[in-house]
PDB file of all heavy atoms in Angstrom:
ATOM      1  N   PHE U  36      -6.589   0.295  32.307  1.00 98.00           N
ATOM      2  CA  PHE U  36      -6.572  -1.175  32.289  1.00 98.00           C
ATOM      3  C   PHE U  36      -5.397  -1.652  31.447  1.00 98.00           C
ATOM      4  O   PHE U  36      -4.746  -0.860  30.755  1.00 98.00           O
ATOM      5  CB  PHE U  36      -7.886  -1.726  31.705  1.00 98.00           C
ATOM      6  CG  PHE U  36      -9.082  -1.400  32.550  1.00 98.00           C
ATOM      7  CD1 PHE U  36      -9.894  -0.326  32.237  1.00 98.00           C
ATOM      8  CD2 PHE U  36      -9.366  -2.145  33.689  1.00 98.00           C
ATOM      9  CE1 PHE U  36     -10.982  -0.003  33.035  1.00 98.00           C
ATOM     10  CE2 PHE U  36     -10.452  -1.825  34.493  1.00 98.00           C
ATOM     11  CZ  PHE U  36     -11.262  -0.759  34.175  1.00 98.00           C
ATOM     12  N   ALA U  37      -5.176  -2.959  31.497  1.00 98.00           N
ATOM     13  CA  ALA U  37      -4.068  -3.554  30.732  1.00 98.00           C
ATOM     14  C   ALA U  37      -4.261  -3.353  29.230  1.00 98.00           C
ATOM     15  O   ALA U  37      -5.392  -3.187  28.757  1.00 98.00           O
ATOM     16  CB  ALA U  37      -3.992  -5.041  31.062  1.00 98.00           C
ATOM     17  N   GLY U  40      -7.217  -4.882  26.085  1.00 98.00           N
ATOM     18  CA  GLY U  40      -8.620  -4.996  26.494  1.00 98.00           C
ATOM     19  C   GLY U  40      -9.472  -3.966  25.772  1.00 98.00           C
ATOM     20  O   GLY U  40      -8.975  -3.176  24.967  1.00 98.00           O
ATOM     21  N   PRO U  41     -10.776  -3.951  26.058  1.00 98.00           N
ATOM     22  CA  PRO U  41     -11.684  -3.060  25.332  1.00 98.00           C
ATOM     23  C   PRO U  41     -11.343  -1.571  25.425  1.00 98.00           C
ATOM     24  O   PRO U  41     -11.414  -0.855  24.424  1.00 98.00           O
ATOM     25  CB  PRO U  41     -13.045  -3.329  25.969  1.00 98.00           C
ATOM     26  CG  PRO U  41     -12.848  -4.339  27.032  1.00 98.00           C
ATOM     27  CD  PRO U  41     -11.452  -4.846  27.011  1.00 98.00           C
ATOM     28  N   THR U  42     -10.957  -1.119  26.611  1.00 98.00           N
ATOM     29  CA  THR U  42     -10.676   0.316  26.766  1.00 98.00           C
ATOM     30  C   THR U  42      -9.438   0.704  25.963  1.00 98.00           C
ATOM     31  O   THR U  42      -9.409   1.743  25.295  1.00 98.00           O
ATOM     32  CB  THR U  42     -10.493   0.642  28.265  1.00 98.00           C
ATOM     33  OG1 THR U  42     -11.657   0.166  28.959  1.00 98.00           O
ATOM     34  CG2 THR U  42     -10.341   2.124  28.511  1.00 98.00           C
ATOM     35  N   ASP U  43      -8.453  -0.163  26.003  1.00 98.00           N
ATOM     36  CA  ASP U  43      -7.218   0.057  25.243  1.00 98.00           C
ATOM     37  C   ASP U  43      -7.498   0.041  23.734  1.00 98.00           C
ATOM     38  O   ASP U  43      -7.006   0.886  22.982  1.00 98.00           O
ATOM     39  CB  ASP U  43      -6.244  -1.070  25.628  1.00 98.00           C
ATOM     40  CG  ASP U  43      -4.865  -0.894  25.045  1.00 98.00           C
ATOM     41  OD1 ASP U  43      -4.154   0.020  25.501  1.00 98.00           O
ATOM     42  OD2 ASP U  43      -4.497  -1.663  24.138  1.00 98.00           O
ATOM     43  N   HIS U  92     -14.834   4.626  31.351  1.00 98.00           N
ATOM     44  CA  HIS U  92     -16.017   3.911  30.874  1.00 98.00           C
ATOM     45  C   HIS U  92     -17.129   3.853  31.915  1.00 98.00           C
ATOM     46  O   HIS U  92     -17.019   4.481  32.983  1.00 98.00           O
ATOM     47  CB  HIS U  92     -15.642   2.546  30.311  1.00 98.00           C
ATOM     48  CG  HIS U  92     -15.048   1.562  31.287  1.00 98.00           C
ATOM     49  ND1 HIS U  92     -15.059   1.716  32.642  1.00 98.00           N
ATOM     50  CD2 HIS U  92     -14.415   0.381  31.060  1.00 98.00           C
ATOM     51  CE1 HIS U  92     -14.478   0.674  33.217  1.00 98.00           C
ATOM     52  NE2 HIS U  92     -14.061  -0.146  32.281  1.00 98.00           N
ATOM     53  N   ALA U 157     -12.337  -7.462  35.792  1.00 98.00           N
ATOM     54  CA  ALA U 157     -11.186  -6.554  35.769  1.00 98.00           C
ATOM     55  C   ALA U 157     -11.110  -5.689  37.033  1.00 98.00           C
ATOM     56  O   ALA U 157     -10.607  -4.572  37.002  1.00 98.00           O
ATOM     57  CB  ALA U 157     -11.257  -5.679  34.515  1.00 98.00           C
ATOM     58  N   SER U 161     -15.062  -2.242  37.737  1.00 98.00           N
ATOM     59  CA  SER U 161     -14.835  -2.300  36.277  1.00 98.00           C
ATOM     60  C   SER U 161     -16.152  -2.648  35.580  1.00 98.00           C
ATOM     61  O   SER U 161     -17.134  -3.025  36.245  1.00 98.00           O
ATOM     62  CB  SER U 161     -13.775  -3.356  35.960  1.00 98.00           C
ATOM     63  OG  SER U 161     -14.263  -4.638  36.321  1.00 98.00           O
ATOM     64  N   VAL U 162     -16.160  -2.573  34.265  1.00 98.00           N
ATOM     65  CA  VAL U 162     -17.382  -2.922  33.522  1.00 98.00           C
ATOM     66  C   VAL U 162     -17.698  -4.405  33.680  1.00 98.00           C
ATOM     67  O   VAL U 162     -18.851  -4.792  33.900  1.00 98.00           O
ATOM     68  CB  VAL U 162     -17.228  -2.547  32.027  1.00 98.00           C
ATOM     69  CG1 VAL U 162     -18.279  -3.267  31.187  1.00 98.00           C
ATOM     70  CG2 VAL U 162     -17.371  -1.050  31.836  1.00 98.00           C
ATOM     71  N   SER U 163     -16.685  -5.250  33.562  1.00 98.00           N
ATOM     72  CA  SER U 163     -16.940  -6.702  33.672  1.00 98.00           C
ATOM     73  C   SER U 163     -17.487  -7.040  35.055  1.00 98.00           C
ATOM     74  O   SER U 163     -18.425  -7.832  35.178  1.00 98.00           O
ATOM     75  CB  SER U 163     -15.660  -7.488  33.375  1.00 98.00           C
ATOM     76  OG  SER U 163     -14.546  -6.864  33.980  1.00 98.00           O
ATOM     77  N   TRP U 164     -16.899  -6.443  36.093  1.00 97.00           N
ATOM     78  CA  TRP U 164     -17.395  -6.685  37.459  1.00 97.00           C
ATOM     79  C   TRP U 164     -18.828  -6.160  37.604  1.00 97.00           C
ATOM     80  O   TRP U 164     -19.720  -6.842  38.104  1.00 97.00           O
ATOM     81  CB  TRP U 164     -16.481  -5.997  38.483  1.00 97.00           C
ATOM     82  CG  TRP U 164     -16.952  -6.189  39.900  1.00 97.00           C
ATOM     83  CD1 TRP U 164     -16.672  -7.231  40.726  1.00 97.00           C
ATOM     84  CD2 TRP U 164     -17.819  -5.308  40.637  1.00 97.00           C
ATOM     85  NE1 TRP U 164     -17.313  -7.061  41.935  1.00 97.00           N
ATOM     86  CE2 TRP U 164     -18.020  -5.887  41.909  1.00 97.00           C
ATOM     87  CE3 TRP U 164     -18.443  -4.088  40.350  1.00 97.00           C
ATOM     88  CZ2 TRP U 164     -18.812  -5.285  42.894  1.00 97.00           C
ATOM     89  CZ3 TRP U 164     -19.248  -3.502  41.326  1.00 97.00           C
ATOM     90  CH2 TRP U 164     -19.417  -4.095  42.582  1.00 97.00           C
ATOM     91  N   ARG U 185      -6.038  -7.381  35.692  1.00 98.00           N
ATOM     92  CA  ARG U 185      -5.758  -5.948  35.501  1.00 98.00           C
ATOM     93  C   ARG U 185      -6.478  -5.400  34.259  1.00 98.00           C
ATOM     94  O   ARG U 185      -6.233  -4.286  33.825  1.00 98.00           O
ATOM     95  CB  ARG U 185      -4.242  -5.716  35.394  1.00 98.00           C
ATOM     96  CG  ARG U 185      -3.553  -6.029  36.722  1.00 98.00           C
ATOM     97  CD  ARG U 185      -2.060  -6.022  36.598  1.00 98.00           C
ATOM     98  NE  ARG U 185      -1.482  -4.684  36.507  1.00 98.00           N
ATOM     99  CZ  ARG U 185      -1.373  -3.838  37.523  1.00 98.00           C
ATOM    100  NH1 ARG U 185      -1.824  -4.183  38.716  1.00 98.00           N
ATOM    101  NH2 ARG U 185      -0.822  -2.664  37.364  1.00 98.00           N
ATOM    102  N   GLY U 186      -7.331  -6.202  33.706  1.00 98.00           N
ATOM    103  CA  GLY U 186      -8.104  -5.814  32.532  1.00 98.00           C
ATOM    104  C   GLY U 186      -8.656  -7.083  31.920  1.00 98.00           C
ATOM    105  O   GLY U 186      -8.161  -8.183  32.213  1.00 98.00           O
ATOM    106  N   THR U 187      -9.675  -6.947  31.064  1.00 98.00           N
ATOM    107  CA  THR U 187     -10.222  -8.174  30.485  1.00 98.00           C
ATOM    108  C   THR U 187      -9.393  -8.661  29.300  1.00 98.00           C
ATOM    109  O   THR U 187      -9.651  -9.749  28.794  1.00 98.00           O
ATOM    110  CB  THR U 187     -11.709  -8.001  30.100  1.00 98.00           C
ATOM    111  OG1 THR U 187     -11.848  -6.840  29.281  1.00 98.00           O
ATOM    112  CG2 THR U 187     -12.581  -7.865  31.330  1.00 98.00           C
ATOM    113  N   GLY U 188      -8.395  -7.886  28.872  1.00 98.00           N
ATOM    114  CA  GLY U 188      -7.455  -8.386  27.849  1.00 98.00           C
ATOM    115  C   GLY U 188      -6.745  -9.630  28.366  1.00 98.00           C
ATOM    116  O   GLY U 188      -6.855 -10.719  27.778  1.00 98.00           O
ATOM    117  N   ASP U 204     -18.220  -9.318  29.174  1.00 98.00           N
ATOM    118  CA  ASP U 204     -17.197  -8.411  28.635  1.00 98.00           C
ATOM    119  C   ASP U 204     -17.761  -7.539  27.529  1.00 98.00           C
ATOM    120  O   ASP U 204     -18.789  -7.851  26.918  1.00 98.00           O
ATOM    121  CB  ASP U 204     -15.987  -9.204  28.127  1.00 98.00           C
ATOM    122  CG  ASP U 204     -14.726  -8.348  28.029  1.00 98.00           C
ATOM    123  OD1 ASP U 204     -14.714  -7.202  28.541  1.00 98.00           O
ATOM    124  OD2 ASP U 204     -13.742  -8.810  27.430  1.00 98.00           O
ATOM    125  N   GLN U 205     -17.030  -6.453  27.277  1.00 98.00           N
ATOM    126  CA  GLN U 205     -17.407  -5.516  26.222  1.00 98.00           C
ATOM    127  C   GLN U 205     -17.070  -6.152  24.866  1.00 98.00           C
ATOM    128  O   GLN U 205     -15.989  -6.724  24.684  1.00 98.00           O
ATOM    129  CB  GLN U 205     -16.642  -4.204  26.412  1.00 98.00           C
ATOM    130  CG  GLN U 205     -17.042  -3.464  27.679  1.00 98.00           C
ATOM    131  CD  GLN U 205     -16.027  -2.401  28.047  1.00 98.00           C
ATOM    132  OE1 GLN U 205     -15.121  -2.631  28.846  1.00 98.00           O
ATOM    133  NE2 GLN U 205     -16.165  -1.237  27.450  1.00 98.00           N
ATOM    134  N   ASN U 252     -17.398   3.575  26.378  1.00 98.00           N
ATOM    135  CA  ASN U 252     -16.112   4.202  26.726  1.00 98.00           C
ATOM    136  C   ASN U 252     -16.147   5.667  26.307  1.00 98.00           C
ATOM    137  O   ASN U 252     -16.696   6.001  25.262  1.00 98.00           O
ATOM    138  CB  ASN U 252     -14.950   3.531  25.975  1.00 98.00           C
ATOM    139  CG  ASN U 252     -14.518   2.235  26.634  1.00 98.00           C
ATOM    140  OD1 ASN U 252     -15.017   1.169  26.289  1.00 98.00           O
ATOM    141  ND2 ASN U 252     -13.623   2.322  27.595  1.00 98.00           N
TER     142      ASN U 252
HETATM  143  C1  MLT N 401     -10.544  -3.330  29.941  1.00 66.67           C
HETATM  144  O1  MLT N 401     -10.150  -2.505  29.127  1.00 66.67           O
HETATM  145  O2  MLT N 401      -9.802  -4.237  30.358  1.00 66.67           O
HETATM  146  C2  MLT N 401     -11.978  -3.310  30.387  1.00 66.67           C
HETATM  147  O3  MLT N 401     -12.633  -2.169  29.976  1.00 66.67           O
HETATM  148  C3  MLT N 401     -12.102  -3.782  31.746  1.00 66.67           C
HETATM  149  C4  MLT N 401     -13.463  -3.778  32.341  1.00 66.67           C
HETATM  150  O4  MLT N 401     -13.854  -2.723  32.802  1.00 66.67           O
HETATM  151  O5  MLT N 401     -14.106  -4.804  32.410  1.00 66.67           O
END
Side-chain angles (χ1 to χ4, degrees):
F36 295 98
T42 306
D43 187 71
H92 64 13
S161 65
V162 163
S163 41
W164 179 86
R185 293 171 75 74
T187 52
D204 201 11
Q205 294 164 265
N252 280 91

